[in-house]
Amino acid sequence: MDDCIFCRIAKKDIGAKIVYEDDNVIGFDDISPQAPVHVIIISKKHIVSVDFIDESDADIMTSLMFSFKKIAEIKGIGNNGYRIVSNHKERAGQSVFHLHFHLLGGRDMKWPPG
Ligand code: 5GP
Ligand code: ZN
């Protein structure tokens, strides 16, 4: 989708600091980091959110899930712990409507989140 910022990053139309890529997903540094490590992991395919995943996306979801520990290792936070979150719809604070997960680390995390 041409008007989707994350599709444009996936197509490399817009620059991003890519830290991980495979056939199905890309991980890149968040433009407005909320922790010393803040990586956004997206599906290359435009999927609006978790509500829109279907059975044919199983390979994509597998790639997303396996990407987390790889990215944590690349960023050097695999041993100390990190958080994976996905904001879903407006009330949770989703601002980009293309499936993505935040991987946050490099500092202590509070619970519950705000
Ligand atoms: P959401 O608010 O949907 O949960 O997360 C969207 C995230 O994408 C935000 O943390 C925001 O800072 C990040 N973001 C939005 N636009 C861009 C961009 O153009 N480049 C990068 N690297 N991150 C972006
Ligand atoms: Zn998109």
Side-chain angles (χ1 to χ4, degrees):
M1 282 178 66
D2 289 345
D3 59 349
C4 171
I5 192 100
F6 285 176
C7 281
R8 295 183 70 192
I9 288 174
K11 280 193 279 177
K12 317 264 170 74
D13 284 349
I14 294 180
K17 204 163 170 217
I18 293 171
V19 297
Y20 175 80
E21 180 169 9
D22 64 26
D23 288 347
N24 294 318
V25 313
I26 296 190
F28 52 87
D29 287 336
D30 197 293
I31 204 166
S32 177
Q34 302 302 310
V37 173
H38 186 171
V39 178
I40 299 290
I41 304 108
I42 67 170
S43 53
K44 287 186 173 176
K45 176 184 172 184
H46 183 82
I47 300 170
V48 172
S49 71
V50 287
D51 266 350
F52 293 84
I53 300 161
D54 69 32
E55 301 297 326
S56 67
D57 297 319
D59 284 350
I60 293 171
M61 298 313 296
T62 300
S63 294
L64 281 166
M65 288 298 153
F66 280 115
S67 74
F68 301 146
K69 68 174 181 181
K70 295 175 191 166
I71 291 168
E73 278 166 24
I74 288 166
K75 286 292 192 177
I77 57 169
N79 287 336
N80 290 333
Y82 53 92
R83 179 170 292 169
I84 299 154
V85 286
S86 185
N87 298 318
H88 185 55
K89 291 185 177 168
E90 289 83 352
R91 206 162 181 200
Q94 185 177 8
S95 62
V96 179
F97 291 85
H98 176 130
L99 182 67
H100 61 279
F101 294 83
H102 300 249
L103 189 154
L104 299 141
R107 64 165 169 81
D108 293 337
M109 298 283 157
K110 290 190 170 64
W111 192 263

